[in-house]
């Protein structure tokens, strides 16, 4: 069905309680934008029976415009998104979290941004007076991500986005990297815009998360730092770290060596262990960087990091085979 | 003119390329784009070989693309590739090389500092049997401190490290047989080292003096920071050249300091003043480090051996005349 104006992919977490209200409000907004849209609910496993029932009821009420996808593997949000994109009928896509976050009016602004030439537009939540602790965390998180990626966004992990199908299809997503889709898409040359959006009145920003979540986010930032700057220069990072360690360790060993020549016994000097350890770490980091370069070199044949917008040539083209 | 290859180019019958692609990556060169394309066409058309001019617009923010598209009406040999954003010179060049169809490929910068009138001379040397012909800006028209001195140091280092006797690796004006470059996959900032990368393939590299003009329009995209990046990349490429052939041997060599430390600490324990704790700790750490290097070497062997036909193994194919 090629005449679908746009597809809305909604990730529905297991703890969702208000799917019916959510859909009613969303559909009202979408109907203002077009008649021929579809909403695909991606039910995150393990979906509670209440959530499944609510989603199914929505499908029953409007089978032409509501679709419900069930998944088996918990935690694979990137895979769910990819499955949704693959089966979506529209070429213009929206992604939304299955709970109230941004005022739905922003969807029109996101679509307008795409009509003006952007490839991906996402809503940046302006929290106002709501959720002080959550806002502080978000600001801190976005600042750290900006430092790591050298690209300043105010709300990079916002799930309220509009994007062209090509963005979702060309940007490799795995693990939790769907959160950082704007950063990854921009690396591929897609034009990304951030649109400020009012927070939905019923939004309940969570102030405290599990400690494990903070750990995962910190690791994400480290991954983004590497992906943004060093995926084509692994030895620059690993070699730099390795050289620093090895130089420090070498200096320690040199000092200890000179002291030994001047008569200080070596056998009971723990600093000798420190020097050896640093040299060891340095060489290890360096060798890992070399291994990275080797992998990159041998896989460069499959890498074409550039993206072509268009090729202009006369007809017939010169030197046509 | 100097020949950098170990082999004699005249030892096999010369094969003149039957078509030519001139590949030029450009970025924000709206003033230079038209004179550049027209200069190339004027230089190559009299040679009476089919040719194309492949200009890659590397996400220019000015009107470069508009100028190039307008030129298409009057220059049928022109092919314009527009990239989605500014990906950098290496990837822009790779995009052009991927699209180029000529048997000979000439590359040059888009800033008009290279002179297109030198292209026929480069092609002459290819026809005479060279696989790569590199330009040498002997009378370089650039700032002394920011460009010429860093370049001189970089070239001395490159010659010393790689043994390739080319005076001017940084000169973009080069000519290649397509069979040489089609085996190269460029990433990061490798465009500066194409000649070095072709050496392990057994390519015959020649160097000829070319003209160089001061920049008259547009702005240089590079600063002195480039020198440090070039040095880092040179180091990486040299490491790759060594390690990709016999990774296990080189990783073992890298681990040898651990072995030395282990032996030294062992001797210290045996011959020292009787305190065994620190030397024993060093023996354990050194031994573990050496073992880790050996294992990484094995992993590298695995990577190399499972990576399919790399450039090395294809060398024999492109040596065949066609």
């Amino acid at each position: 069905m090629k005449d679908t104006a746009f597809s809305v992919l909604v990730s529905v977490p297991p703890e969702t309680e208000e799917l019916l209200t959510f859909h009613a409000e969303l559909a009202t907004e979408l109907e203002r934008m077009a008649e021929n849209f579809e909403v695909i609910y991606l039910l995150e496993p393990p979906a509670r029976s209440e959530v499944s029932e609510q989603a199914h009821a929505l499908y029953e009420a409007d089978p032409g415009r509501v679709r419900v996808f069930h998944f088996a593997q918990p935690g694979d949000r990137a895979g769910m998104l990819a499955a949704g994109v693959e089966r979506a009928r529209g070429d213009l896509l929206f992604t939304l979290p299955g709970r109230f976050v941004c005022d739905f009016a922003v969807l029109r602004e996101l679509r307008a941004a795409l009509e003006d030439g952007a490839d991906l537009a996402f809503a940046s939540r302006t929290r106002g007076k709501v959720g002080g602790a959550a806002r502080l965390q978000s600001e801190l998180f976005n600042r750290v991500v900006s430092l790591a990626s050298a690209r300043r966004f105010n709300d990079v992990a916002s799930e309220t986005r509009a994007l062209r199908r090509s963005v979702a299809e060309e940007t490799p997503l795995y693990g939790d990297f769907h959160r950082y889709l704007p950063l990854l898409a921009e690396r591929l040359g897609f034009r990304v815009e951030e649109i400020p959006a009012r927070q939905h009145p019923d939004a309940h920003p969570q102030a405290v998360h599990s400690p494990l979540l903070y750990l995962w986010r910190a690791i994400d930032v480290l991954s983004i730092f590497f992906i943004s700057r060093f995926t084509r220069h692994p030895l620059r990072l690993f070699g730099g770290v390795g050289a620093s360690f090895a130089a420090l360790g070498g200096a320690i060993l040199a000092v200890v060596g000179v002291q030994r020549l001047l008569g200080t016994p070596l056998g009971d000097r723990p600093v000798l262990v420190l020097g050896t350890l640093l040299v060891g770490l340095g060489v290890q980091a360096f060798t890992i960087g070399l291994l990275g370069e080797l992998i990159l070199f041998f896989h460069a044949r499959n890498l074409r990091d550039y993206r072509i917008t268009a090729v202009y040539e006369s007809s017939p083209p010169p030197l046509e085979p | 003119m100097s020949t950098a290859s170990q082999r004699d180019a005249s030892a096999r019958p010369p094969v003149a390329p039957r078509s030519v692609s001139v590949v030029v990556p450009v970025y924000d060169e709206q003033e230079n784009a038209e004179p550049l394309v027209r200069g190339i066409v004027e230089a190559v058309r009299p040679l009476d070989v089919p040719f194309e001019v492949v200009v890659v617009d590397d996400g220019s923010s000015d009107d470069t693309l508009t100028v190039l598209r307008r030129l298409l009406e009057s220059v049928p040999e022109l092919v314009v590739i527009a990239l989605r954003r500014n990906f950098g010179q290496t990837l822009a060049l790779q995009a052009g090389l991927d699209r180029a169809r000529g048997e000979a490929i000439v590359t040059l910068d888009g800033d008009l500092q290279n002179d297109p009138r030198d292209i026929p001379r480069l092609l002459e040397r290819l026809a005479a049997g060279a696989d790569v012909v590199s330009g040498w800006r002997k009378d370089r028209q650039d700032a002394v401190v920011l460009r010429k001195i860093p370049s001189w140091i970089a070239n001395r280092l490159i010659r010393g490290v790689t043994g390739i006797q080319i005076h001017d690796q940084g000169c973009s004006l080069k000519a290649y047989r397509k069979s040489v470059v089609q085996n190269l996959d460029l990433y990061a900032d490798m465009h500066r080292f194409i000649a070095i990368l072709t050496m392990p393939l057994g390519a015959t590299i020649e160097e000829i003096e070319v003209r160089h003009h001061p920049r008259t329009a547009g702005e240089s995209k590079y600063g002195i920071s480039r020198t440090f990046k070039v040095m880092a990349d040179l180091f990486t490429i040299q490491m790759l050249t060594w390690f990709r052939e016999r990774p296990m041997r080189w990783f073992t060599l890298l681990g040898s300091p651990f072995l030395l430390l282990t032996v030294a600490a062992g001797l210290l324990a045996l011959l020292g003043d009787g305190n065994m704790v620190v030397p024993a700790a060093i023996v354990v750490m050194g031994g573990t480090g050496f073992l880790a290097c050996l294992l990484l070497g094995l992993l590298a062997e695995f990577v190399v051996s499972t990576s399919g036909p790399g450039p090395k193994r294809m060398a024999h194919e492109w040596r065949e005349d066609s």
Side-chain angles (χ1 to χ4, degrees), chain A residues 285-306:
Chain A
F286 186 81
T287 47
I288 289 169
L290 269 178
L291 193 59
E293 288 284 351
L294 272 177
I295 292 171
L296 187 60
F297 180 82
F298 280 101
H299 287 84
R301 189 162 296 272
N302 305 320
L303 294 175
R304 284 294 181 268
D305 284 340
Y306 62 81

Side-chain angles (χ1 to χ4, degrees), chain B residues 49-65:
Chain B
V49 284
F51 74 100
E52 63 179 355
V53 184
V54 181
V55 183
V56 185
D57 177 48
D58 189 15
S60 294
S61 55
D62 65 2
D63 286 332
T64 303
L65 185 59

Side-chain angles (χ1 to χ4, degrees), chain A residues 61-223:
Chain A
D62 191 358
R65 296 198 298 198
V66 175
R67 301 164 75 190
V68 181
F69 291 1
H70 300 264
F71 295 88
Q73 189 183 347
D76 184 17
R77 295 277 294 276
M80 287 168 55
L81 188 62
V85 170
E86 193 182 332
R87 288 161 184 81
R89 294 171 183 138
D91 285 330
L92 169 63
L93 308 172
F94 289 93
T95 66
L96 284 175
R99 56 196 161 82
F100 292 115
V101 177
C102 293
D103 193 326
F104 289 133
V106 77
L107 297 179
R108 268 174 286 170
E109 292 179 54
L110 295 177
R111 184 172 70 168
L114 259 57
E115 286 166 354
D116 286 345
D119 297 301
L120 184 152
F122 65 98
S124 164
R125 291 162 285 189
T126 49
R127 296 179 193 273
K129 291 173 186 170
V130 188
R135 187 178 62 205
L136 196 65
Q137 284 180 46
S138 169
E139 279 180 14
L140 184 65
F141 173 72
N142 280 291
R143 279 192 185 279
V144 175
V145 172
S146 302
L147 280 175
S149 63
R151 178 69 170 93
R152 179 77 178 121
F153 286 125
N154 292 313
D155 193 6
V156 71
S158 166
E159 291 178 74
T160 308
R161 317 179 188 106
L163 58 151
R164 299 183 198 284
R165 175 181 282 277
S166 55
V167 176
E169 287 176 343
E170 285 185 44
T171 312
L173 295 178
Y174 60 93
D176 272 353
F177 282 172
H178 59 91
R179 293 176 187 282
Y180 312 102
L181 184 59
L183 286 174
L184 300 173
E186 201 168 60
R187 281 190 73 232
L188 296 179
F190 289 111
R191 203 178 124 196
V192 174
E193 278 190 29
E194 186 170 23
I195 311 280
R198 274 187 300 127
Q199 184 155 286
H200 193 281
D202 293 336
H204 305 296
Q206 201 177 339
V208 181
H209 303 274
S210 78
L212 208 54
L213 190 80
Y214 293 105
L215 178 66
W216 295 154
R217 293 293 165 269
I219 293 172
D220 282 354
V221 170
L222 193 62
S223 303

